[in-house]
Each structure stands twice: as C-alpha cells, then as structure tokens.
Amino acid sequence: SAVAAQEAGFDILGYTSQGHFLLNCGFAQKAEQLPLTQRPLAGKLVLEHEMGELFKVLGLVKGVAPWFALGFAHGDRTHKL
C-alpha cells in the first residue's frame, strides 16, 4: 500500500488507472501502428470498462526522481490515497 511504501522511505510519484498511465506514456500512438486486427485487443488495456480502470499504477521513488513522471501527467489520483 501507499502508506507502507511511505513508511519504508519512498515518495509517491503518482497514482492512476492503467488506462491513464498508458495513454500518458504514448500508448495511443503506438496502438495506431498495430495491424487493424490487433487494435481491439490493445484497446482492452486502456478502456474504462475493461482493464484500463480495473488495474491501477502506483509510482514510487526514493529520493528525487531524475525524470518527469510522464505516466501521471493527466488523471493523477494521489489525492485519493
């Protein structure tokens, strides 16, 4: 859990759904390169009524993150932890 991670010295980079995380990381542009027959399968990873909302992503770091946490740029739900 986020509390256990913080107690272990981690800082939270962000918390969001799998769908938001993947889309923030450029998933849509990569999915456009797939053959048409594979696009519906890829869509299941980000659609809200599929895996996109069912699974969540919690980003953790110790110290200062040496990068921008792109996956949490939009749809961050850290405030809900």
Side-chain angles (χ1 to χ4, degrees):
S1 77
V3 173
Q6 288 176 315
E7 288 174 354
F10 287 90
D11 292 317
I12 296 174
L13 289 174
Y15 171 71
T16 193
S17 68
Q18 174 178 286
H20 275 116
F21 185 84
L22 291 173
L23 291 172
N24 288 336
C25 291
F27 181 84
Q29 294 80 4
K30 293 289 186 184
E32 288 175 359
Q33 298 171 6
L34 291 172
L36 290 175
T37 57
Q38 294 180 355
R39 290 182 191 180
L41 294 172
K44 289 184 178 195
L45 296 171
V46 295
L47 292 173
E48 287 186 13
H49 63 281
E50 295 283 353
M51 296 168 63
E53 187 60 34
L54 181 62
F55 294 100
K56 306 295 187 275
V57 178
L58 175 64
L60 303 170
V61 67
K62 272 198 174 183
V64 179
W67 67 88
F68 173 68
L70 181 65
F72 304 102
H74 300 285
D76 186 24
R77 301 176 185 173
T78 301
H79 64 281
K80 293 187 175 187
L81 292 174

